[in-house]
Amino acid sequence: MSAGQGIPENVIDSVLEQHDIVDTVGKYVHLTKQGKYMKGLCPFHSEKTPSFTVTPERQIFYCYGCGKGGNAIKFRMEIEGLSFPEAVKVMAEESHIAMPEGQGGVVIPSNPERDRLLQAYEWTAKFYHFLLKNTEHGKAAMEYLRSRGFSDKMIDLFQIGYAPDRWDTLVQFLTKRSFDLGEMEKGGLLSVRSDGEDYLDRFRDRVMFPIYDRNGRVIAFAGRVLGDAQPKYLNSPESKLFNKSRILYNLHQAKPAIRKLRQIVLFEGYGDVISAWEAGVQNGVATMGTSLTESHTGLMKTMADEVVICYDGDRAGQAAAMKVIPLLEGIGLRVKVSVLNEGLDPDEFIHKYGQERFVRQIIDGAVSTTKFKLIYLKKNHILLEEEGKIAYTKEVLPIIAMLQSSTEREVYLRELSAELQLSFESLKQDCNEIRQSMQKNMQDGDNNDKRWNTGRHKKGRVAAPTLLPAYHTGERRLLAIMLQDTEAARYVQERLDDAFNIDDHAAIAAYLYAYYAQGKPPDISRFMSSLHDDRLEKTLSSISMMDTPREWNTQVLDDCIKEVQKVPLKLQIDQKKEEMISAERSGDFLRAAQIASEIIALERQ
């Protein structure tokens, strides 16, 4: 029998067996064990207190903050923007699970609008590239690129193009090829005129850098203005194809080198990536003019063990590097940082000092994060003055104290001692005291975490949870027990069937009865894959997180069933009461008395 969307059930089951939820999520989220759960910061929304929970026993994840939940397949769908069949196919290939081919095989459902948009982006990239290289319009852009040191080889490899300083160049190009301009506007290629009547080119008088997905398909553009217009860089808006918090520029070309070296070089800009590529650094990527996200770091973790941060040498670039260090280290990656002096960016360094020196000094010579922090903080102090020495020492000793290796701590303390002409022993003593104080605070903090492990602790107060009506809680409890036990589901089906008051609960119950009717054992992750409904999957994930004892008795089920059955009766009683009041107001006291006796009979039930 085939599961939803044309994929055989045995393939889905094999994928879920081979992809443990903790391993799957752990590649993208740093998880820590808390009892029978694993917790981490949600990759789907911004949060500082972990509310993202993975349950290894049930093979599901759920975020109490944004409500996203599901099994390993659902997680890959959400984190990588895949459809269900696409996620299953990717995961099957990773585990060497055979996918049926030909007749009766898996067919990835087509998404015509997405396909048209991909076609439009591909043709637009070629069109802009042609305009750059072969027309009068592109001459100024070509001169600009050559002045930046871009060779024809790199212009072709990265398919750099030019959008002319006209309102309708792309509009005409797409119209002639019968594209729906409304679709193209929604997809980020065009804009709507201010009068709302017509369309115009989104990018004008800009050098165009195509942005590719990991499979090498153009899904967006970054445009660098030639004149004085603002903004200097303009990205395509988010669309069906493009989510900048999940895309790394040049990843499609850098993948082979990254996998071979197990190392990523992280740049700030497209120009840096391209110049470094020509210098032989082919494992370079850049974020899309946005700060590094958990999705980015998770993606890096799946491909590499080490990241070299190669940001601009000015204060802003170095401050940005300081911000991303904890994000990368927090997910378990080794991190090094390139040190570019004179405020140069990587592209400028290559042009000033050459490719060979760039690779040797900036990439291969990248320093540890501790060393970088010491260099970065040193710039804030005048070390020739006693005050400056003391202030700098106070800033850097906690950083050295955090190092786990006593050898590493000693190396940095000796360097500090020689540089500041201070006693090594006194520095070591201060460092050990700071370290002891940190360890004590961490122990206190652990206990504090245990006291406030609800995720609702804010400013010293615990917010009261929203109380659900008794019948709502009863329905959730029934479903939670039914998910764990076939007999419990049969007992509820005989007495209640799908007469749940919440529509989503009724639908889950109906699906669950059908699932068990096929002779399948209780398995929340496997059952979830049969739903193919985002809302039901979220509801099911939330219910699955309930603490429900494995052993159940009919009394527990009967109590919940009673609460569920009370609701239609209560609605009937409320309706009768309204009818009685209406009869009294109209002077029909006999009818009002009859209704009153009906209400009493209903209340006895």
Side-chain angles (χ1 to χ4, degrees):
M1 179 178 172
S2 278
Q5 305 194 41
I7 300 177
E9 282 181 1
N10 66 319
V11 172
I12 296 169
D13 292 346
S14 297
V15 163
L16 289 171
E17 279 170 24
Q18 293 295 318
H19 290 265
D20 177 75
I21 190 73
V22 176
D23 294 340
T24 301
V25 173
K27 289 174 181 173
Y28 298 82
V29 180
H30 180 58
L31 296 170
T32 53
K33 191 163 173 56
Q34 286 192 12
K36 62 181 179 180
Y37 303 110
M38 306 289 285
K39 288 213 161 185
L41 292 171
C42 181
F44 305 118
H45 81 289
S46 180
E47 63 174 9
K48 291 183 180 175
T49 305
S51 58
F52 183 86
T53 307
V54 174
T55 314
E57 184 189 0
R58 295 174 186 176
Q59 288 294 298
I60 57 164
F61 72 92
Y62 182 71
C63 177
Y64 288 96
C66 67
K68 284 195 188 296
N71 57 18
I73 296 171
K74 184 68 175 177
F75 183 82
R76 289 290 290 271
M77 287 168 65
E78 293 284 355
I79 202 83
E80 295 181 28
L82 304 171
S83 67
F84 181 83
E86 285 170 339
V88 173
K89 188 169 186 290
V90 167
M91 293 167 83
E93 284 170 359
E94 288 172 354
S95 301
H96 309 291
I97 296 166
M99 294 287 281
E101 299 292 338
Q103 192 173 5
V106 177
V107 179
I108 305 290
S110 64
N111 183 331
E113 188 179 340
R114 183 185 173 88
D115 293 344
R116 286 192 296 272
L117 206 48
L118 283 167
Q119 181 74 79
Y121 268 102
E122 185 190 338
W123 284 358
T124 300
K126 287 176 179 172
F127 179 53
Y128 283 151
H129 185 60
F130 175 83
L131 291 176
L132 172 73
K133 295 197 75 179
N134 301 288
T135 68
E136 280 294 317
H137 290 297
K139 273 192 171 176
M142 201 66 171
E143 284 169 16
Y144 162 77
L145 288 167
R146 291 222 168 100
S147 74
R148 287 280 307 271
F150 289 107
S151 66
D152 284 358
K153 185 181 173 186
M154 290 300 104
I155 289 168
D156 288 343
L157 179 65
F158 287 86
Q159 211 175 358
I160 301 169
Y162 174 68
D165 192 11
R166 290 179 54 189
W167 296 97
D168 63 350
T169 305
L170 187 61
V171 168
Q172 287 184 30
F173 176 82
L174 294 171
T175 302
K176 281 177 188 170
R177 281 149 188 80
S178 305
F179 285 104
D180 181 299
L181 298 188
E183 270 187 12
M184 298 300 103
E185 187 271 328
K186 271 201 303 183
L189 279 169
L190 304 176
S191 298
V192 181
R193 283 188 184 274
S194 53
D195 58 12
E197 293 296 315
D198 213 343
Y199 298 96
L200 47 87
D201 292 7
R202 178 176 288 277
F203 296 96
R204 297 181 298 280
D205 195 26
R206 288 179 182 270
V207 174
M208 302 297 287
F209 296 89
I211 295 159
Y212 298 82
D213 66 12
R214 64 173 65 193
N215 298 314
R217 298 174 300 191
V218 183
I219 54 167
F221 287 101
R224 202 260 188 220
V225 75
L226 275 185
D228 299 323
Q230 290 297 323
K232 187 175 173 183
Y233 278 98
L234 180 66
N235 280 345
S236 295
E238 305 244 320
S239 69
K240 269 181 179 290
L241 304 178
F242 177 52
N243 181 329
K244 64 184 177 186
S245 68
R246 294 181 186 175
I247 294 291
L248 290 166
Y249 178 72
N250 193 46
L251 182 62
H252 70 296
Q253 290 190 133
K255 272 193 297 187
I258 290 169
R259 290 214 163 101
K260 183 181 175 186
L261 299 168
R262 297 299 296 170
Q263 182 200 65
I264 290 171
V265 180
L266 180 62
F267 294 101
E268 277 188 284
Y270 319 115
D272 298 333
V273 170
I274 297 167
S275 295
W277 182 284
E278 193 157 27
V281 179
Q282 299 189 346
N283 54 332
V285 299
T287 49
M288 301 301 313
T290 182
S291 52
L292 200 70
T293 66
E294 280 223 359
S295 290
H296 290 140
T297 56
L299 189 55
M300 291 178 181
K301 185 79 167 79
T302 64
M303 306 174 76
D305 305 315
E306 181 178 272
V307 175
V308 175
I309 302 168
C310 191
Y311 281 7
D312 295 357
D314 59 13
R315 188 160 283 277
Q318 301 301 282
M322 285 287 279
K323 280 184 182 174
V324 303
I325 288 168
L327 290 174
L328 294 164
E329 289 185 331
I331 203 167
L333 285 160
R334 285 196 310 274
V335 183
K336 288 184 177 177
V337 189
S338 296
V339 180
L340 288 111
N341 296 321
E342 305 170 52
L344 298 175
D345 64 32
D347 186 25
E348 290 166 339
F349 187 97
I350 290 168
H351 295 141
K352 185 169 182 179
Y353 295 111
Q355 296 176 352
E356 188 187 332
R357 183 170 165 185
F358 172 75
V359 174
R360 177 172 39 83
Q361 182 180 322
I362 304 302
I363 303 301
D364 295 344
V367 300
S368 70
T369 55
T370 302
K371 181 75 172 172
F372 173 73
K373 287 171 188 174
L374 301 190
I375 294 167
Y376 176 78
L377 292 170
K378 195 186 297 179
K379 293 173 184 174
N380 300 329
H381 304 282
I382 301 167
L383 299 184
L384 293 172
E385 298 173 359
E386 291 303 314
E387 260 183 52
K389 282 185 184 181
I390 293 165
Y392 176 56
T393 306
K394 280 183 178 175
E395 270 199 283
V396 299
L397 278 179
I399 293 168
I400 297 170
M402 286 174 73
L403 295 169
Q404 293 303 310
S405 163
S406 58
T407 307
E408 271 190 87
R409 292 199 298 274
E410 181 156 336
V411 167
Y412 288 114
L413 288 171
R414 289 201 181 278
E415 276 185 22
L416 197 61
S417 168
E419 185 177 23
L420 302 181
Q421 294 179 321
L422 295 171
S423 156
F424 169 73
E425 290 305 325
S426 63
L427 286 173
K428 188 175 181 180
Q429 187 179 335
D430 287 349
C431 183
N432 288 339
E433 284 173 9
I434 291 168
R435 189 167 169 79
Q436 285 166 11
S437 174
M438 282 176 170
Q439 285 169 342
K440 186 176 183 301
N441 288 340
M442 280 173 70
Q443 285 166 2
D444 292 344
D446 285 345
N447 293 335
N448 194 44
D449 285 346
K450 284 168 190 167
R451 284 200 303 273
W452 301 100
N453 64 357
T454 61
R456 298 190 300 272
H457 179 218
K458 287 185 183 162
K459 294 185 181 173
R461 289 183 299 177
V462 178
T466 307
L467 288 174
L468 294 170
Y471 75 87
H472 196 299
T473 306
E475 291 186 1
R476 285 169 62 86
R477 188 165 295 282
L478 281 175
L479 288 168
I481 297 169
M482 290 158 66
L483 285 164
Q484 295 179 70
D485 195 287
T486 318
E487 283 304 313
R490 191 175 293 119
Y491 185 89
V492 175
Q493 185 176 16
E494 287 168 1
R495 285 151 185 81
L496 195 64
D497 198 20
D498 59 357
F500 288 76
N501 298 290
I502 309 288
D503 288 345
D504 284 358
H505 295 171
I508 289 169
Y511 277 119
L512 191 57
Y513 299 144
Y515 175 84
Y516 285 146
Q518 292 166 24
K520 294 173 184 172
D523 185 326
I524 293 170
S525 177
R526 191 175 168 190
F527 170 61
M528 201 172 273
S529 284
S530 68
L531 295 177
H532 299 294
D533 183 299
D534 279 346
R535 200 177 73 231
L536 292 185
E537 285 174 18
K538 275 187 183 180
T539 306
L540 182 62
S541 300
S542 173
I543 290 168
S544 303
M545 298 308 293
M546 291 177 74
D547 265 330
T548 312
R550 285 201 169 277
E551 298 300 319
W552 58 275
N553 57 55
T554 53
Q555 185 61 52
V556 171
L557 297 180
D558 288 339
D559 289 345
C560 293
I561 290 167
K562 261 183 213 165
E563 287 297 338
V564 175
Q565 289 174 329
K566 274 183 193 176
V567 177
L569 264 177
K570 188 177 181 304
L571 288 173
Q572 213 177 333
I573 290 166
D574 290 344
Q575 193 179 342
K576 290 284 181 190
K577 283 178 179 176
E578 283 179 22
E579 286 175 19
M580 185 177 75
I581 292 164
S582 178
E584 285 173 347
R585 281 177 182 160
S586 62
D588 190 349
F589 296 105
L590 181 62
R591 174 73 184 131
Q594 282 175 341
I595 295 169
S597 63
E598 288 172 15
I599 290 170
I600 291 163
L602 286 169
E603 283 176 339
R604 279 181 185 150
Q605 288 180 45

